[in-house]
Amino acid sequence: EVQLVESGGGLVQPGGALRLSCAASGFTFSTYSMNWVRQAPGKGLEWVSYISSSSSTIYYADSVKGRFTISRDNAKNSLYLQMNSLRDEDTAVYYCARSSGPFDDWGQGTLVTVSS
Amino acid sequence: DIQMTQSPSSLSASVGDRVTITCRASQGISNFLAWFQQKPGKAPKSLIYAASSLQSGVPSKFSGSGSGTDFTLTISSLQPEDFATYYCQQYNSYPRTFGQGTKVEIK
């Protein structure tokens, strides 16, 4: 069974930083591309970032480019999102999602709250 | 960026009703279109990929169609567990983009 478990969310002040993790199990992590998707309270889904299986290709949404960094450690079956210079509008539940083109499986999400 | 527009934004329906949700892409995306179901407080669940292919384990009451710019998700006979918000998403190009969602509520 595919499992994706996010962690690292919490309350942070504007301008602060946070690192999210996504622990993967139940599949061969190193062969799948991965994504981060977020959902602000009461709002829709917003794709944030993509990383290919070998980390050779990375994409970001314009809204986070230059502030967020996606990475992965295939030896640890883990995906990361380093979030710097956080803004109020980054407040959201952050999901990791496995993709083989379409998004196949999602984690349960971790809540990031940016507030003073 | 490719804009995805869903309609309606919300609908009220009764158990047993046939429900259709529409998704339109701002440019052609072939069949690189997925549908997701999300219940309150839960992660999205993948229903359909490649516009019309059911994900493993998804009941056949869900069906998808379309190609190019116009797509539909149909629920043949609405059941209590189907009341949720549904999103379309294009995976033809980056940035990946979602529709704004369609909330299916009980009439």
Side-chain angles (χ1 to χ4, degrees):
Chain A
E1 179 195 3
V2 171
Q3 283 203 332
L4 299 168
V5 179
E6 301 92 338
S7 61
L11 175 63
V12 61
Q13 292 187 336
L18 215 53
R19 189 194 196 206
L20 305 184
S21 299
C22 171
S25 61
F27 65 102
T28 306
F29 180 73
S30 62
T31 64
Y32 281 86
S33 301
M34 298 294 295
N35 297 263
W36 287 99
V37 178
R38 68 185 180 183
Q39 186 170 38
K43 302 297 184 182
L45 300 168
E46 179 190 16
W47 171 80
V48 171
S49 185
Y50 161 91
I51 186 167
S52 63
S53 57
S54 64
S55 304
S56 59
T57 302
I58 286 174
Y59 299 116
Y60 297 100
D62 286 346
S63 57
V64 307
K65 200 173 294 181
R67 301 187 298 122
F68 289 11
T69 302
I70 192 171
S71 63
R72 64 190 294 162
D73 185 336
N74 286 342
K76 294 184 178 179
N77 291 338
S78 293
L79 173 72
Y80 306 101
L81 186 67
Q82 177 66 43
M83 304 185 296
N84 297 332
S85 303
L86 283 161
R87 306 168 179 167
D88 291 350
E89 55 264 35
D90 295 318
T91 293
V93 174
Y94 286 73
Y95 298 100
C96 62
R98 184 183 80 157
S99 61
S100 58
F103 289 9
D104 305 316
D105 294 279
W106 300 62
Q108 86 289 347
T110 188
L111 176 62
V112 172
T113 303
V114 184
S115 175
S116 54
Chain B
D1 298 0
I2 298 174
Q3 308 303 316
M4 305 300 293
T5 304
Q6 284 182 237
S7 61
S9 296
S10 64
L11 64 90
S12 295
S14 300
V15 172
D17 283 354
R18 179 184 180 90
V19 167
T20 298
I21 299 168
T22 298
C23 179
R24 174 164 289 176
S26 61
Q27 62 190 76
I29 59 170
S30 185
N31 69 336
F32 296 113
L33 190 283
W35 289 97
F36 301 93
Q37 176 193 65
Q38 187 179 33
K39 297 181 180 179
K42 300 295 186 181
K45 173 188 174 183
S46 178
L47 296 177
I48 286 172
Y49 64 97
S52 61
S53 298
L54 253 58
Q55 284 282 3
S56 175
V58 173
S60 59
K61 61 182 172 181
F62 293 97
S63 64
S65 66
S67 183
T69 60
D70 294 314
F71 303 87
T72 60
L73 171 70
T74 299
I75 309 171
S76 60
S77 177
L78 205 61
Q79 296 303 305
E81 63 270 19
D82 302 327
F83 291 95
T85 300
Y86 294 84
Y87 294 92
C88 62
Q89 183 217 26
Q90 65 82 18
Y91 56 98
N92 178 76
S93 62
Y94 283 92
R96 301 296 197 231
T97 44
F98 293 88
Q100 80 279 16
T102 296
K103 187 173 184 179
V104 177
E105 298 175 301
I106 302 173
K107 182 182 288 184

